[in-house]
Amino acid sequence: MARTTIAVTAAALLAAAALGLAPHQARAAAATSVSSSSATPAGASSQLRFFDIPGSGGITLKGNVFSPGGARPGQRFPLIVLPTSWGVPQIEYAAQAERLADSGYVVVSYTSRGFWLSGGRIEVAGPPDTADVSAVIDWALATTAADPAHIGLGGVSYGAGISLLAAARDPRIKAVVALSGWADIIESIYSGRTQHLQAAGLLGAAGHLTGRPGPELDGILTDFLGSNLEREPRMIEWGKQRSASEKVDAINANGAAIMLGNAWGDTIFPPNQYAAFFERLTGPKRLELRPGDHATAEGTGLLGLPNDTWTNAHRWFDRYLKGEANGVDTEAPVQLKSRSDNGYEGYRDWKSVGAGGTEKLALGDSEHVFANVDSGANGGVVLLSSVLDQFVKAPPVASIPLLPRAFAAVWQSGRYDEDRRIRGTARLHTTVTPTEESGTFVAYLYDVGPLGLGKLVSNAPYTFHGRTPGRSFGVDLDLFSTAYDVPAGHRLALVVDTVDPLYIEHNPTGAQLTFSSPRTDPSYVSVPLREQ
């Protein structure tokens, strides 16, 4: 099939998904593009065919298969299975699947259960989804020229989460590429015991628009967005069942080579949870982190454009499914690209990322803030703000001198004489005294220029319940990991307020918070730095 035809087909279906067309409308929109491929001579390049694939529990999954062109009878090829992202139809990976097939793979992609024309209900990477992966592998081995000894799995976002969980279930899987996914769904959308409102709302809306959520998912979303604390243990248990971090022992025992990729500004699945999961893997592994938001680091590759993430994904599959000595296994396992420049940095593990030591910003002055008012400091907009940072170096900003001190606590460092290369996870340690038993605050780390304009370096929310009003308690909060260079002449500022559109806040009307620094337990922000 001509590569331009694949790109047009992918664009048609992805555009249909974005515009909210019904599944049958989307398929009709792409039908002309698909049929036009018949002009390509047989065997000249990879071949695309659409199939109804039996999933687990008797449902049908809509899928497609790219096969190498000109295969000899009886010839076998490594198999790669690609479950689709949340709300995206089966043609999502067409451009990359064609390239993989051209290089000698059988590639099967399918629409995840509950979405578009695939059967079943949306299970959010539950056991039926991982059983689907095994069923698709079974079908591919029986129907295509796939080699049972060389099976890989991969995907973006939802497909990445399913892939990691399937690697714990099915020992036939030898290599996984999981891009912009999650290993811990609780730490992804409920970090700091705070609901990530825009992320969860976006996923819920997209699920109803493009698929069929089951009653369990609807109930979980209702309890989650409604802050039903009585159901919190059930929600957490539900999330653990869908988190590869809870199954890391099985993944290690099965021995699949795992490549993880994510963006520093991913507003749906922040990078901290991927880094923690990476450290626990014992087999061949690789972690790549770049500027961007959810799925934007690899997004251009889905359209067939040059893309570092997908280039390395192909190298990963070639090494661990074909045995090619391409050097990907001899490179530093952790590959980072700073938000401030275009070069890559290699590290032997995640602990080495901040090996230059930590710089502590002392939070010596006691600060008192009134809740329920947005001070103007915030983490931006889901799927937008970090994209601006990725492409035009324009993260969310705030004028630090103009932030209203009644609603925002502010501490600043002195001006730096030389660059500060922040790498890894900044941590806040402070003492909080509330006037109510529940509350929420959000911490922001800013790079402040000479005119007082602060560019967001990182942030994270924190929520508490069941505290005694007027009684102080200590807080340790990890901000979202990042790689950011603070120029000489700038300073760092920590800002804390109580309202951010990204998150649900739990401050009763009239609530107040005091942030103090007791002499016996001083408050600070520790900032990890790269070795010079």
Side-chain angles (χ1 to χ4, degrees):
M1 172 174 282
R3 208 174 296 279
T4 54
T5 300
I6 292 298
V8 171
T9 303
L13 281 170
L14 290 173
L19 293 172
L21 296 182
H24 69 278
Q25 292 174 304
R27 190 161 221 176
T32 302
S33 300
V34 174
S35 63
S36 68
S37 67
S38 59
T40 303
S45 63
S46 57
Q47 302 172 8
L48 168 63
R49 296 167 64 191
F50 291 87
F51 290 93
D52 287 346
I53 303 175
S56 65
I59 71 160
T60 297
L61 302 169
K62 296 295 181 177
N64 59 68
V65 178
F66 280 87
S67 301
R72 300 185 303 274
Q75 188 174 7
R76 293 287 177 178
F77 301 93
L79 169 67
I80 296 176
V81 175
L82 303 172
T84 59
S85 300
W86 186 271
V88 182
Q90 58 174 302
I91 208 69
E92 174 184 11
Y93 304 108
Q96 294 301 324
E98 184 189 24
R99 290 179 178 177
L100 286 165
D102 284 346
S103 66
Y105 292 94
V106 172
V107 185
V108 180
S109 178
Y110 68 92
T111 303
S112 299
R113 71 162 50 219
F115 289 102
W116 297 86
L117 297 177
S118 283
R121 297 281 186 173
I122 300 173
E123 299 287 346
V124 196
D129 287 299
T130 54
D132 283 343
V133 172
S134 296
V136 171
I137 292 173
D138 293 340
W139 176 87
L141 295 178
T143 309
T144 72
D147 183 348
H150 301 91
I151 298 172
L153 195 59
V156 175
S157 185
Y158 191 48
I162 291 174
S163 295
L164 290 174
L165 289 161
R169 182 185 192 275
D170 196 325
R172 295 176 295 180
I173 298 167
K174 305 303 180 186
V176 172
V177 172
L179 307 177
S180 289
W182 77 90
D184 187 331
I185 202 167
I186 301 299
E187 280 300 308
S188 294
I189 62 173
Y190 196 45
S191 68
R193 207 180 177 188
T194 307
Q195 299 98 322
H196 294 212
L197 173 62
Q198 291 186 14
L202 178 65
L203 293 173
H208 279 277
L209 184 64
T210 62
R212 299 169 301 282
E216 182 182 37
L217 174 56
D218 281 339
I220 289 290
L221 278 174
T222 298
D223 291 336
F224 182 79
L225 296 174
S227 304
N228 187 348
L229 291 178
E230 292 183 359
R231 307 284 282 180
E232 185 183 46
R234 173 179 175 269
M235 289 187 287
I236 291 175
E237 182 58 32
W238 180 89
K240 286 182 176 181
Q241 293 173 3
R242 290 158 172 80
S243 296
S245 60
E246 297 291 319
K247 306 177 189 299
V248 69
D249 290 342
I251 293 172
N252 288 335
N254 288 339
I258 307 291
M259 173 180 161
L260 306 170
N262 206 350
W264 294 118
D266 194 320
T267 46
I268 296 180
F269 303 129
N272 300 48
Q273 44 91 31
Y274 247 18
F277 175 71
F278 171 83
E279 287 292 271
R280 297 175 61 198
L281 295 171
T282 58
K285 59 183 180 179
R286 183 180 179 95
L287 174 65
E288 298 184 356
L289 295 171
R290 301 176 175 85
D293 207 313
H294 185 65
T296 64
E298 58 272 6
T300 55
L302 294 176
L303 300 177
L305 300 175
N307 183 276
D308 290 352
T309 306
W310 282 105
T311 295
N312 288 336
H314 288 232
R315 294 173 65 215
W316 193 255
F317 284 135
D318 288 346
R319 175 66 186 90
Y320 291 103
L321 297 183
K322 289 183 177 180
E324 292 185 3
N326 56 19
V328 72
D329 56 328
T330 63
E331 297 170 358
V334 177
Q335 294 287 323
L336 309 183
K337 181 183 282 189
S338 166
R339 292 163 51 196
S340 309
D341 61 50
N342 295 318
Y344 282 92
E345 304 167 1
Y347 300 87
R348 64 180 180 272
D349 52 32
W350 179 250
K351 294 188 293 291
S352 302
V353 170
T358 59
E359 181 171 305
K360 285 189 176 182
L361 170 59
L363 312 180
D365 297 330
S366 181
E367 297 282 351
H368 183 83
V369 299
F370 293 89
N372 312 118
V373 175
D374 190 344
S375 70
N378 64 67
V381 179
V382 67
L383 295 185
L384 175 61
S385 297
S386 294
V387 173
L388 294 175
D389 184 35
Q390 176 183 1
F391 291 109
V392 296
K393 302 292 190 292
V397 298
S399 177
I400 304 304
L402 297 181
L403 291 174
R405 295 310 198 261
F407 308 115
V410 180
W411 299 267
Q412 295 191 74
S413 72
R415 296 190 187 277
Y416 294 119
D417 294 331
E418 57 184 17
D419 293 356
R420 291 294 191 273
R421 298 184 178 184
I422 300 173
R423 298 293 185 273
T425 308
R427 294 180 172 89
L428 167 65
H429 174 75
T430 190
T431 296
V432 179
T433 307
T435 60
E436 304 288 343
E437 63 90 21
S438 292
T440 297
F441 66 86
V442 184
Y444 310 90
L445 189 65
Y446 283 101
D447 161 23
V448 185
L451 298 180
L453 186 66
K455 294 183 177 181
L456 186 66
V457 177
S458 184
N459 76 100
Y462 184 89
T463 293
F464 58 89
H465 297 287
R467 293 291 178 175
T468 301
R471 178 174 296 178
S472 301
F473 62 93
V475 170
D476 289 288
L477 175 63
D478 285 356
L479 277 61
F480 300 136
S481 302
T482 194
Y484 185 96
D485 299 332
V486 179
H490 287 212
R491 65 181 74 204
L492 285 173
L494 181 82
V495 176
V496 178
D497 74 1
T498 62
V499 176
D500 189 312
L502 285 173
Y503 312 114
I504 291 178
E505 54 100 0
H506 298 264
N507 297 296
T509 302
Q512 301 171 44
L513 297 175
T514 298
F515 299 90
S516 59
S517 182
R519 182 176 301 177
T520 57
D521 186 19
S523 296
Y524 60 85
V525 174
S526 64
V527 181
L529 302 175
R530 175 188 172 187
E531 286 184 322
Q532 298 297 322

